[in-house]
Amino acid sequence: MEKLASLRDQMVDTQLIARGISDPGVLAAFRKVPRHEFVPPGLQDSAYDDSALPIGEDQTISQPYMVAIMTELLKLKGSEKVLEVGTGSGYQAAILAELCRKLYTIERIGPLSKRAEGILKKLNYHNVEYIIGDGTEGFSPSAPYDSIIVTAGCPQIPPPLIDQLAEGGSLVIPVGERFYQTLTVVTKEKGKIKIEPSIGCVFVPLVGKYGWRD
Ligand code: SAH
């Protein structure tokens, strides 16, 4: 356990701070959330490596730096209602749950959602709701959201996500080709939509009505 905690601190220093992540809240969340709880049993020793890892069902837990930069781009202050599309392992969800008021997280693969829910509950996160479904349609019952984060790659920005973004809110989403995308930040100010590209990235495909076909 102590070894894992020291690997976690090293991850924050060498992978996040060294690459420019500086939001104190984001860094504190990464020092706290036990990433090794979210990887499959045989991979715990690799949990703090500088890479994505398989989590079953052909899906991955994203690289720590990618989770950090996406979270930092959301500029969370603690009072937000957030929508995450792509629960996956639940690790990004735990980081968000540390930093916002209420998180809604959608996953299309039922067993992944259930597994993530079990881990987050065990770790005492009680401000998260788990939805199984197609996140390209967002989740209208609880819209609008102050922040929306999509953790799978999409050929276009799904229109329902723009509709469900609150005034003044930000949406962070990888947009592009099936195997290479650009992290994109969409903001809504006085009803106007602004789209700004950030860094290149590689995510598993977002599969759904406004995403890729399976
Ligand atoms: N945030 C996750 C990353 C998981 S990878 C983590 O921290 O581990 C992306 C996830 O998006 C996969 O689990 C995949 O099944 C899911 N996904 C793909 N298309 C989706 C869709 N339309 N709606 C919801 N989830 C989707």
Side-chain angles (χ1 to χ4, degrees):
M1 267 309 168
E2 247 174 60
K3 185 180 149 218
L4 291 169
S6 113
L7 286 174
R8 186 158 62 248
D9 271 335
Q10 265 179 45
M11 167 190 85
V12 172
D13 295 338
T14 62
Q15 299 173 35
L16 309 189
I17 295 175
R19 291 186 182 128
I21 302 294
S22 62
D23 182 320
V26 174
L27 294 171
F30 275 81
R31 290 202 196 275
K32 180 172 169 194
V33 176
R35 182 170 161 95
H36 59 273
E37 297 281 354
F38 295 87
V39 303
L43 288 177
Q44 294 217 324
D45 283 351
S46 307
Y48 297 100
D49 290 0
D50 190 12
S51 61
L53 293 169
I55 54 169
E57 311 273 356
D58 277 342
Q59 306 303 326
T60 54
I61 175 172
S62 307
Q63 179 198 25
Y65 174 67
M66 193 49 66
V67 178
I69 192 161
M70 291 177 87
T71 309
E72 190 166 71
L73 285 168
L74 292 177
K75 301 189 179 107
L76 296 171
K77 300 210 161 47
S79 58
E80 297 86 354
K81 181 168 65 169
V82 178
L83 175 68
E84 179 194 24
V85 177
T87 313
S89 68
Y91 178 67
Q92 170 84 73
I95 296 284
L96 293 169
E98 286 283 341
L99 296 167
C100 75
R101 176 174 59 80
K102 175 87 193 190
L103 174 67
Y104 294 83
T105 183
I106 311 188
E107 170 59 54
R108 63 183 276 272
I109 301 176
L112 286 181
S113 174
K114 291 288 170 211
R115 179 176 171 274
E117 181 173 356
I119 300 168
L120 277 135
K121 287 198 166 143
K122 190 180 91 179
L123 294 172
N124 278 317
Y125 291 103
H126 299 299
N127 57 341
V128 185
E129 263 185 49
Y130 307 85
I131 301 121
I132 297 170
D134 177 6
T136 68
E137 301 199 68
F139 182 59
S140 55
S142 301
Y145 301 94
D146 303 304
S147 306
I148 303 179
I149 178 169
V150 180
T151 64
C154 205
Q156 57 169 336
I157 302 166
L161 298 185
I162 294 183
D163 292 345
Q164 292 175 28
L165 191 62
E167 178 57 42
S170 326
L171 157 66
V172 175
I173 179 170
V175 184
E177 306 298 322
R178 194 161 177 124
F179 298 105
Y180 184 80
Q181 306 90 30
T182 302
L183 210 54
T184 304
V185 183
V186 182
T187 46
K188 199 187 255 186
E189 292 285 350
K190 299 194 179 102
K192 276 216 179 107
I193 306 299
K194 193 161 99 192
I195 298 176
E196 288 165 290
S198 176
I199 59 169
C201 55
V202 179
F203 278 83
V204 295
L206 186 76
V207 176
K209 184 169 174 191
Y210 299 97
W212 298 98
R213 305 262 152 104
D214 216 347

PDB file of all heavy atoms in Angstrom, residues 52-73:
ATOM      1  N   ALA A  52      -2.151   4.403 -20.939  1.00  0.00           N
ATOM      2  CA  ALA A  52      -3.492   3.842 -20.799  1.00  0.00           C
ATOM      3  C   ALA A  52      -3.331   2.341 -20.529  1.00  0.00           C
ATOM      4  O   ALA A  52      -2.289   1.764 -20.821  1.00  0.00           O
ATOM      5  CB  ALA A  52      -4.276   4.065 -22.088  1.00  0.00           C
ATOM      6  N   LEU A  53      -4.343   1.700 -19.935  1.00  0.00           N
ATOM      7  CA  LEU A  53      -4.272   0.256 -19.660  1.00  0.00           C
ATOM      8  C   LEU A  53      -5.611  -0.386 -20.027  1.00  0.00           C
ATOM      9  O   LEU A  53      -6.658   0.264 -19.936  1.00  0.00           O
ATOM     10  CB  LEU A  53      -4.016   0.022 -18.156  1.00  0.00           C
ATOM     11  CG  LEU A  53      -2.664   0.455 -17.594  1.00  0.00           C
ATOM     12  CD1 LEU A  53      -2.692   0.391 -16.064  1.00  0.00           C
ATOM     13  CD2 LEU A  53      -1.547  -0.429 -18.141  1.00  0.00           C
ATOM     14  N   PRO A  54      -5.591  -1.660 -20.432  1.00  0.00           N
ATOM     15  CA  PRO A  54      -6.854  -2.332 -20.760  1.00  0.00           C
ATOM     16  C   PRO A  54      -7.703  -2.576 -19.520  1.00  0.00           C
ATOM     17  O   PRO A  54      -7.162  -2.871 -18.444  1.00  0.00           O
ATOM     18  CB  PRO A  54      -6.399  -3.672 -21.361  1.00  0.00           C
ATOM     19  CG  PRO A  54      -5.009  -3.873 -20.879  1.00  0.00           C
ATOM     20  CD  PRO A  54      -4.416  -2.523 -20.611  1.00  0.00           C
ATOM     21  N   ILE A  55      -9.026  -2.430 -19.658  1.00  0.00           N
ATOM     22  CA  ILE A  55      -9.925  -2.707 -18.524  1.00  0.00           C
ATOM     23  C   ILE A  55     -10.970  -3.761 -18.892  1.00  0.00           C
ATOM     24  O   ILE A  55     -11.967  -3.933 -18.197  1.00  0.00           O
ATOM     25  CB  ILE A  55     -10.647  -1.416 -18.035  1.00  0.00           C
ATOM     26  CG1 ILE A  55     -11.385  -0.712 -19.193  1.00  0.00           C
ATOM     27  CG2 ILE A  55      -9.670  -0.474 -17.337  1.00  0.00           C
ATOM     28  CD1 ILE A  55     -12.321   0.410 -18.743  1.00  0.00           C
ATOM     29  N   GLY A  56     -10.766  -4.463 -20.024  1.00  0.00           N
ATOM     30  CA  GLY A  56     -11.741  -5.455 -20.476  1.00  0.00           C
ATOM     31  C   GLY A  56     -12.754  -4.832 -21.420  1.00  0.00           C
ATOM     32  O   GLY A  56     -12.794  -3.596 -21.572  1.00  0.00           O
ATOM     33  N   GLU A  57     -13.556  -5.685 -22.094  1.00  0.00           N
ATOM     34  CA  GLU A  57     -14.586  -5.222 -23.043  1.00  0.00           C
ATOM     35  C   GLU A  57     -13.976  -4.354 -24.150  1.00  0.00           C
ATOM     36  O   GLU A  57     -14.658  -3.492 -24.715  1.00  0.00           O
ATOM     37  CB  GLU A  57     -15.695  -4.411 -22.321  1.00  0.00           C
ATOM     38  CG  GLU A  57     -16.277  -5.062 -21.079  1.00  0.00           C
ATOM     39  CD  GLU A  57     -17.432  -6.008 -21.398  1.00  0.00           C
ATOM     40  OE1 GLU A  57     -17.846  -6.109 -22.563  1.00  0.00           O
ATOM     41  OE2 GLU A  57     -17.888  -6.659 -20.448  1.00  0.00           O
ATOM     42  N   ASP A  58     -12.651  -4.561 -24.443  1.00  0.00           N
ATOM     43  CA  ASP A  58     -11.952  -3.785 -25.483  1.00  0.00           C
ATOM     44  C   ASP A  58     -11.823  -2.297 -25.141  1.00  0.00           C
ATOM     45  O   ASP A  58     -11.639  -1.469 -26.038  1.00  0.00           O
ATOM     46  CB  ASP A  58     -12.692  -3.871 -26.835  1.00  0.00           C
ATOM     47  CG  ASP A  58     -12.316  -5.136 -27.578  1.00  0.00           C
ATOM     48  OD1 ASP A  58     -11.275  -5.715 -27.216  1.00  0.00           O
ATOM     49  OD2 ASP A  58     -13.073  -5.527 -28.479  1.00  0.00           O
ATOM     50  N   GLN A  59     -11.945  -1.940 -23.874  1.00  0.00           N
ATOM     51  CA  GLN A  59     -11.892  -0.530 -23.475  1.00  0.00           C
ATOM     52  C   GLN A  59     -10.641  -0.282 -22.634  1.00  0.00           C
ATOM     53  O   GLN A  59      -9.945  -1.219 -22.266  1.00  0.00           O
ATOM     54  CB  GLN A  59     -13.163  -0.137 -22.712  1.00  0.00           C
ATOM     55  CG  GLN A  59     -14.447  -0.454 -23.459  1.00  0.00           C
ATOM     56  CD  GLN A  59     -14.519   0.196 -24.845  1.00  0.00           C
ATOM     57  OE1 GLN A  59     -14.024   1.296 -25.053  1.00  0.00           O
ATOM     58  NE2 GLN A  59     -15.124  -0.508 -25.797  1.00  0.00           N
ATOM     59  N   THR A  60     -10.355   0.988 -22.345  1.00  0.00           N
ATOM     60  CA  THR A  60      -9.127   1.317 -21.609  1.00  0.00           C
ATOM     61  C   THR A  60      -9.405   2.351 -20.512  1.00  0.00           C
ATOM     62  O   THR A  60     -10.360   3.115 -20.597  1.00  0.00           O
ATOM     63  CB  THR A  60      -8.064   1.937 -22.556  1.00  0.00           C
ATOM     64  OG1 THR A  60      -8.654   3.044 -23.239  1.00  0.00           O
ATOM     65  CG2 THR A  60      -7.562   0.925 -23.565  1.00  0.00           C
ATOM     66  N   ILE A  61      -8.538   2.348 -19.488  1.00  0.00           N
ATOM     67  CA  ILE A  61      -8.484   3.459 -18.531  1.00  0.00           C
ATOM     68  C   ILE A  61      -7.452   4.416 -19.133  1.00  0.00           C
ATOM     69  O   ILE A  61      -6.359   4.006 -19.522  1.00  0.00           O
ATOM     70  CB  ILE A  61      -8.094   2.969 -17.107  1.00  0.00           C
ATOM     71  CG1 ILE A  61      -7.907   4.137 -16.131  1.00  0.00           C
ATOM     72  CG2 ILE A  61      -6.857   2.103 -17.094  1.00  0.00           C
ATOM     73  CD1 ILE A  61      -7.722   3.690 -14.659  1.00  0.00           C
ATOM     74  N   SER A  62      -7.811   5.694 -19.269  1.00  0.00           N
ATOM     75  CA  SER A  62      -6.955   6.640 -19.979  1.00  0.00           C
ATOM     76  C   SER A  62      -5.652   6.897 -19.222  1.00  0.00           C
ATOM     77  O   SER A  62      -5.576   6.738 -17.998  1.00  0.00           O
ATOM     78  CB  SER A  62      -7.695   7.972 -20.167  1.00  0.00           C
ATOM     79  OG  SER A  62      -8.954   7.762 -20.772  1.00  0.00           O
ATOM     80  N   GLN A  63      -4.640   7.353 -19.959  1.00  0.00           N
ATOM     81  CA  GLN A  63      -3.344   7.749 -19.380  1.00  0.00           C
ATOM     82  C   GLN A  63      -3.577   8.851 -18.327  1.00  0.00           C
ATOM     83  O   GLN A  63      -4.384   9.766 -18.567  1.00  0.00           O
ATOM     84  CB  GLN A  63      -2.493   8.280 -20.537  1.00  0.00           C
ATOM     85  CG  GLN A  63      -1.120   8.770 -20.158  1.00  0.00           C
ATOM     86  CD  GLN A  63      -0.542   9.670 -21.253  1.00  0.00           C
ATOM     87  OE1 GLN A  63      -1.288  10.275 -22.028  1.00  0.00           O
ATOM     88  NE2 GLN A  63       0.759   9.755 -21.306  1.00  0.00           N
ATOM     89  N   PRO A  64      -2.885   8.797 -17.176  1.00  0.00           N
ATOM     90  CA  PRO A  64      -3.109   9.806 -16.128  1.00  0.00           C
ATOM     91  C   PRO A  64      -3.021  11.249 -16.653  1.00  0.00           C
ATOM     92  O   PRO A  64      -3.870  12.085 -16.325  1.00  0.00           O
ATOM     93  CB  PRO A  64      -1.995   9.523 -15.111  1.00  0.00           C
ATOM     94  CG  PRO A  64      -1.682   8.071 -15.294  1.00  0.00           C
ATOM     95  CD  PRO A  64      -1.897   7.776 -16.751  1.00  0.00           C
ATOM     96  N   TYR A  65      -2.009  11.535 -17.486  1.00  0.00           N
ATOM     97  CA  TYR A  65      -1.858  12.907 -17.990  1.00  0.00           C
ATOM     98  C   TYR A  65      -3.087  13.356 -18.784  1.00  0.00           C
ATOM     99  O   TYR A  65      -3.526  14.507 -18.674  1.00  0.00           O
ATOM    100  CB  TYR A  65      -0.589  13.014 -18.851  1.00  0.00           C
ATOM    101  CG  TYR A  65      -0.458  14.364 -19.516  1.00  0.00           C
ATOM    102  CD1 TYR A  65      -0.228  15.504 -18.755  1.00  0.00           C
ATOM    103  CD2 TYR A  65      -0.591  14.500 -20.901  1.00  0.00           C
ATOM    104  CE1 TYR A  65      -0.129  16.752 -19.360  1.00  0.00           C
ATOM    105  CE2 TYR A  65      -0.494  15.741 -21.505  1.00  0.00           C
ATOM    106  CZ  TYR A  65      -0.265  16.871 -20.725  1.00  0.00           C
ATOM    107  OH  TYR A  65      -0.176  18.097 -21.323  1.00  0.00           O
ATOM    108  N   MET A  66      -3.652  12.440 -19.570  1.00  0.00           N
ATOM    109  CA  MET A  66      -4.819  12.806 -20.384  1.00  0.00           C
ATOM    110  C   MET A  66      -6.024  13.110 -19.469  1.00  0.00           C
ATOM    111  O   MET A  66      -6.770  14.065 -19.693  1.00  0.00           O
ATOM    112  CB  MET A  66      -5.132  11.657 -21.359  1.00  0.00           C
ATOM    113  CG  MET A  66      -6.091  12.017 -22.454  1.00  0.00           C
ATOM    114  SD  MET A  66      -5.704  13.549 -23.358  1.00  0.00           S
ATOM    115  CE  MET A  66      -4.176  13.074 -24.168  1.00  0.00           C
ATOM    116  N   VAL A  67      -6.198  12.286 -18.428  1.00  0.00           N
ATOM    117  CA  VAL A  67      -7.280  12.538 -17.460  1.00  0.00           C
ATOM    118  C   VAL A  67      -7.055  13.907 -16.810  1.00  0.00           C
ATOM    119  O   VAL A  67      -7.987  14.699 -16.643  1.00  0.00           O
ATOM    120  CB  VAL A  67      -7.326  11.420 -16.378  1.00  0.00           C
ATOM    121  CG1 VAL A  67      -8.421  11.698 -15.350  1.00  0.00           C
ATOM    122  CG2 VAL A  67      -7.529  10.047 -17.025  1.00  0.00           C
ATOM    123  N   ALA A  68      -5.790  14.208 -16.491  1.00  0.00           N
ATOM    124  CA  ALA A  68      -5.471  15.464 -15.791  1.00  0.00           C
ATOM    125  C   ALA A  68      -5.718  16.677 -16.676  1.00  0.00           C
ATOM    126  O   ALA A  68      -6.347  17.648 -16.241  1.00  0.00           O
ATOM    127  CB  ALA A  68      -4.018  15.440 -15.317  1.00  0.00           C
ATOM    128  N   ILE A  69      -5.263  16.622 -17.926  1.00  0.00           N
ATOM    129  CA  ILE A  69      -5.403  17.821 -18.764  1.00  0.00           C
ATOM    130  C   ILE A  69      -6.875  18.069 -19.084  1.00  0.00           C
ATOM    131  O   ILE A  69      -7.350  19.211 -19.069  1.00  0.00           O
ATOM    132  CB  ILE A  69      -4.512  17.773 -20.033  1.00  0.00           C
ATOM    133  CG1 ILE A  69      -4.488  19.148 -20.687  1.00  0.00           C
ATOM    134  CG2 ILE A  69      -4.923  16.732 -21.030  1.00  0.00           C
ATOM    135  CD1 ILE A  69      -3.343  19.373 -21.629  1.00  0.00           C
ATOM    136  N   MET A  70      -7.636  16.994 -19.294  1.00  0.00           N
ATOM    137  CA  MET A  70      -9.069  17.182 -19.573  1.00  0.00           C
ATOM    138  C   MET A  70      -9.763  17.789 -18.362  1.00  0.00           C
ATOM    139  O   MET A  70     -10.603  18.682 -18.480  1.00  0.00           O
ATOM    140  CB  MET A  70      -9.718  15.850 -19.960  1.00  0.00           C
ATOM    141  CG  MET A  70      -9.246  15.358 -21.317  1.00  0.00           C
ATOM    142  SD  MET A  70      -9.935  13.766 -21.756  1.00  0.00           S
ATOM    143  CE  MET A  70     -11.489  14.264 -22.516  1.00  0.00           C
ATOM    144  N   THR A  71      -9.391  17.301 -17.180  1.00  0.00           N
ATOM    145  CA  THR A  71     -10.005  17.820 -15.952  1.00  0.00           C
ATOM    146  C   THR A  71      -9.619  19.284 -15.760  1.00  0.00           C
ATOM    147  O   THR A  71     -10.469  20.120 -15.435  1.00  0.00           O
ATOM    148  CB  THR A  71      -9.549  16.981 -14.735  1.00  0.00           C
ATOM    149  OG1 THR A  71      -9.757  15.603 -15.035  1.00  0.00           O
ATOM    150  CG2 THR A  71     -10.323  17.359 -13.489  1.00  0.00           C
ATOM    151  N   GLU A  72      -8.347  19.607 -15.986  1.00  0.00           N
ATOM    152  CA  GLU A  72      -7.894  20.987 -15.797  1.00  0.00           C
ATOM    153  C   GLU A  72      -8.626  21.937 -16.754  1.00  0.00           C
ATOM    154  O   GLU A  72      -8.995  23.055 -16.382  1.00  0.00           O
ATOM    155  CB  GLU A  72      -6.376  21.080 -15.981  1.00  0.00           C
ATOM    156  CG  GLU A  72      -5.830  22.426 -15.560  1.00  0.00           C
ATOM    157  CD  GLU A  72      -4.314  22.433 -15.411  1.00  0.00           C
ATOM    158  OE1 GLU A  72      -3.616  22.372 -16.435  1.00  0.00           O
ATOM    159  OE2 GLU A  72      -3.836  22.489 -14.266  1.00  0.00           O
ATOM    160  N   LEU A  73      -8.861  21.468 -17.993  1.00  0.00           N
ATOM    161  CA  LEU A  73      -9.550  22.314 -18.979  1.00  0.00           C
ATOM    162  C   LEU A  73     -10.975  22.675 -18.539  1.00  0.00           C
ATOM    163  O   LEU A  73     -11.532  23.684 -18.965  1.00  0.00           O
ATOM    164  CB  LEU A  73      -9.581  21.606 -20.346  1.00  0.00           C
ATOM    165  CG  LEU A  73      -8.260  21.599 -21.125  1.00  0.00           C
ATOM    166  CD1 LEU A  73      -8.336  20.635 -22.310  1.00  0.00           C
ATOM    167  CD2 LEU A  73      -7.892  23.003 -21.604  1.00  0.00           C
TER     168      LEU A  73
END
